[in-house]
Amino acid sequence: MLPAFNFSLVLRRAWIPSVRHFSRSCEVYQDYFNDVFVNNTLKHAKSLPDNEYVRCTVYDKNGDMVVHGKNIRKLEFMKTYDLAPRDLRKMVRSHISTGTPSGVFVEFVPLLATRKNSILLNLLNIRAIIKCDSLVVFDNYSSLGLGSRFNESHSHGVFLKEMSTRLKASHPEANTLPYEFRALEGILVDVTTNLNTEMSVHKKVLSNILSSLDDSIERTKLRYLLIQSKKLGQFRQKAQLIKDLLDYLLNEDDELNAMYLTEILQGQQRHSFNHQEVELLLESYYATIDEIIQTVDNLISQIKTSEEIIRFVLDSNRNDLMLLGLRFSIGLLSMGLTMYIAALYGMNLENFIEEKDGGLELIVGVASVSMMILFIYCTRQIKSLQRFTLSSASKEKAMAARTRNIV
C-alpha cells in the first residue's frame, strides 16, 4: 500500500524559502532607503547657504557700529573672539529655515552662559557675544530665491540703533555700569519689550474671540479659540524658559561673578556674594517676566472658564433637544393609541356598536380621553426627571447609606 501524499507538507516547504527571500529583500530595501535618506539629509545640510560663514554686526568700545551684516569665516571668527567650536555651533545652529516665509528660525531654548572673557547670549531672536569692550550681534538669514539674503526687520533695526545709543560713553548709565552690563541690559530690555508686545497681541485677539462667543457659539469661533489657546501655551513656555534661566543665574554666584568682564580684565576677580550690580539687574527683569507669565496664566484661566461655560451651554442645548424629541415621541405614542382604537372600530366584525346611536361619538371620546391620559402621564414622568437636583441626589445617597448601615 502506497503512503499518503502530504500536500500540506510540500506546500509548507515550498513556501518557507519564498518567505525568507521576501523578508530578506524587505531588509535590503529598508537599508537602501535608510542610506538614501541619510545621504539626502547630508547633502541638504551641506547645501545650506553660507554654511562656512557667520553674518554679524559688531560694536566697538565707543558704541559705534564698526561692522554691519558682514560675512566672516567661522574659523577666523573663532580665532578673533576666542570661541570654542561647540559654542559657535550653539549660537548659529538651525537659524536658517526654508519652511517659513521669512526664513528665520528662533532658538526655543534660551542661553546665557559665561566663557573666557565673554558672555554668550541667546534669547528669543537675539544671539550675541558680549565682551568687555565689544559686542557681536548675529544677524538672521533669509533663504529666498537662489542666494542667501539678509532680512533685517524693523524691530531688529530699531534694536541695533538702541544698542548703539546705550553703549556710547555719553549714555547716562555709562558711569554706573560697565560696558558688558549695559549691553546685557539693552538685550534684556528688547527681550521684555518683545514679550510684552506679543502678550498684548494675544490678549487683544483673545478678548475679541471671547466677546464674539458671547453673541453666538459657532464652530469657527471655537476653532479660533483652540488655536489661540495653543499659541498662549507656547508663549507661556517660552517666557517660562527665560524666567527659569534668570532664576538659575541668580542662584549661581560663580556665574554672576564671571560676568564682571571689565574687572576680570583688570585683574580684579570677584568672589562669594559680591555681585550686587548684576544681581539687581537680573532681578528687575526676572520680576518683569514673572508678571508677564502671571498675566498669561490669567488669560489661560479665562480660556478654561469660557470652555467650561461653553460646555455647559452645549449640554443644556443638547438636553433641550432630547426633551423635544421625547415630547414628539410621547405625542406619537398617544396618537398611536388612538389609531389602534380606530383600527379596532373600523374592522369588518360585528361589534353591535354601529347599530346603536352615538357609537361613533363614544369611540372618538374614548380614544381622545385615552390619548390625553397617556400624554399627561408621560409628561409628568419627564417633569419628575427634570426635578432631579443636587439636593434630591444627596438625599438619595443618604437613604442608601442608611440602608447599608441597617443591613
Side-chain angles (χ1 to χ4, degrees), residues 4-194:
F5 189 72
N6 195 348
F7 285 98
S8 61
L9 181 60
V10 175
L11 291 175
R12 193 180 301 115
R13 290 178 178 176
W15 173 253
I16 289 174
S18 62
V19 172
R20 291 177 180 174
H21 177 71
F22 179 74
S23 62
R24 195 178 300 113
S25 62
C26 288
E27 293 177 357
V28 172
Y29 287 142
Q30 186 174 5
D31 294 338
Y32 177 74
F33 174 76
N34 292 333
D35 294 338
V36 171
F37 178 76
V38 172
N39 291 330
N40 290 334
T41 304
L42 293 176
K43 289 180 182 178
H44 177 70
K46 292 179 180 179
S47 63
L48 288 176
D50 298 332
N51 197 28
E52 297 181 357
Y53 292 88
V54 175
R55 185 183 286 270
C56 60
T57 300
V58 182
Y59 297 90
D60 60 2
K61 61 181 180 180
N62 297 322
D64 297 328
M65 190 183 299
V66 294
V67 175
H68 178 64
K70 182 180 179 181
N71 289 326
I72 305 175
R73 294 184 66 89
K74 291 183 178 180
L75 185 60
E76 180 183 353
F77 185 85
M78 289 187 292
K79 290 180 179 180
T80 303
Y81 294 98
D82 194 12
L83 199 64
R86 60 180 179 274
D87 295 328
L88 183 61
R89 284 194 298 268
K90 179 63 179 176
M91 299 299 294
V92 301
R93 184 185 59 186
S94 301
H95 282 272
I96 301 175
S97 175
T98 58
T100 58
S102 60
V104 178
F105 176 80
V106 179
E107 188 74 20
F108 200 72
V109 179
L111 171 68
L112 203 161
T114 57
R115 294 294 185 266
K116 183 180 178 181
N117 299 327
S118 62
I119 300 175
L120 305 181
L121 190 142
N122 187 355
L123 296 176
L124 296 184
N125 59 335
I126 299 176
R127 295 163 294 133
I129 298 177
I130 303 174
K131 300 183 77 68
C132 61
D133 55 354
S134 63
L135 172 66
V136 180
V137 179
F138 293 92
D139 298 332
N140 296 322
Y141 288 93
S142 176
S143 58
L144 300 175
L146 298 176
S148 65
R149 186 175 56 184
F150 174 62
N151 182 21
E152 185 181 29
S153 63
H154 175 71
S155 61
H156 189 73
V158 172
F159 166 71
L160 295 179
K161 292 180 181 179
E162 290 180 355
M163 289 302 301
S164 179
T165 304
R166 186 176 292 273
L167 294 177
K168 289 184 178 297
S170 59
H171 194 268
E173 296 180 353
N175 297 326
T176 58
L177 292 177
Y179 184 91
E180 60 270 17
F181 289 168
R182 281 180 283 151
L184 178 60
E185 185 176 11
I187 294 174
L188 291 176
V189 166
D190 187 77
V191 168
T192 53
T193 302
N194 290 335

Side-chain angles (χ1 to χ4, degrees), residues 246-356:
L246 296 180
D247 184 52
Y248 168 77
L249 291 174
L250 290 172
N251 293 326
E252 294 292 329
D253 297 328
D254 296 336
E255 291 287 337
L256 295 178
N257 292 327
M259 290 183 184
Y260 289 86
L261 303 179
T262 303
E263 295 185 2
I264 293 175
L265 183 64
Q266 297 173 356
Q268 302 174 1
Q269 181 69 36
R270 295 203 177 195
H271 300 283
S272 67
F273 301 100
N274 190 15
H275 44 66
Q276 289 82 9
E277 295 86 356
V278 66
E279 187 175 0
L280 292 175
L281 176 65
L282 295 179
E283 283 181 351
S284 175
Y285 294 99
Y286 175 84
T288 303
I289 295 175
D290 184 61
E291 292 178 0
I292 294 174
I293 293 176
Q294 291 180 3
T295 304
V296 174
D297 289 337
N298 293 331
L299 295 178
I300 293 175
S301 64
Q302 290 181 11
I303 291 177
K304 292 181 179 179
T305 305
S306 301
E307 288 177 350
E308 292 178 357
I309 294 173
I310 291 171
R311 191 178 297 112
F312 292 153
V313 171
L314 294 178
D315 290 341
S316 178
N317 292 336
R318 185 167 55 250
N319 293 336
D320 292 339
L321 291 176
M322 291 175 64
L323 289 174
L324 181 62
L326 287 175
R327 291 191 180 95
F328 277 112
S329 299
I330 291 170
L332 293 175
L333 178 62
S334 304
M335 293 182 65
L337 177 62
T338 306
M339 293 174 66
Y340 175 72
I341 297 175
L344 291 178
Y345 180 71
M347 294 177 67
N348 294 324
L349 299 176
E350 294 182 359
N351 49 25
F352 305 104
I353 299 177
E354 66 273 4
E355 296 179 356
K356 298 181 180 179

